[in-house]
């Protein structure tokens, strides 16, 4: 399905969540995609405090428009 916009009940079928119980090694991830600059800044700050070199990118196309 090539649509970037889903509304109503169909939206729930297209959403995906990544749930982690307890903890995981952040270095197992290849990148973190965030919705906007505000979240990007927050995530970068957290990763810098933990001395992680994990890539963070703004990926608006990964998120639904609310």
């Amino acid at each position: 399905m090539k649509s970037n916009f889903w509304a109503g009940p169909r939206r729930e079928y297209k959403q995906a969540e990544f749930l982690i119980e307890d903890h995981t090694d952040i270095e197992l991830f290849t990148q973190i995609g965030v919705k906007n600059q505000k979240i990007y800044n927050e995530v970068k700050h957290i990763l810098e405090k933990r001395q992680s070199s994990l890539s963070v990118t703004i990926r608006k196309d990964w998120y639904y428009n609310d």
Side-chain angles (χ1 to χ4, degrees):
M1 297 183 188
K2 296 182 181 181
S3 178
N4 289 331
F5 178 78
W6 293 86
R10 298 179 88 188
R11 180 177 179 165
E12 291 184 19
Y13 294 116
K14 293 292 288 179
Q15 288 179 323
E17 292 182 6
F18 190 47
L19 304 175
I20 300 171
E21 186 174 357
D22 297 325
H23 67 277
T24 190
D25 182 358
I26 192 73
E27 299 304 325
L28 294 174
F29 294 91
T30 58
Q31 69 173 313
I32 296 176
V34 298
K35 187 173 184 173
N36 57 43
Q37 187 69 45
K38 179 181 181 282
I39 303 300
Y40 173 89
N41 294 340
E42 292 176 18
V43 170
K44 284 297 282 185
H45 178 72
I46 292 167
L47 293 175
E48 287 170 3
K49 284 180 16 181
R50 288 163 176 73
Q51 300 179 336
S52 173
S53 61
L54 187 59
S55 171
V56 181
T57 56
I58 297 173
R59 295 295 308 258
K60 294 179 183 181
D61 58 314
W62 286 3
Y63 295 87
Y64 289 104
N65 296 324
D66 291 327

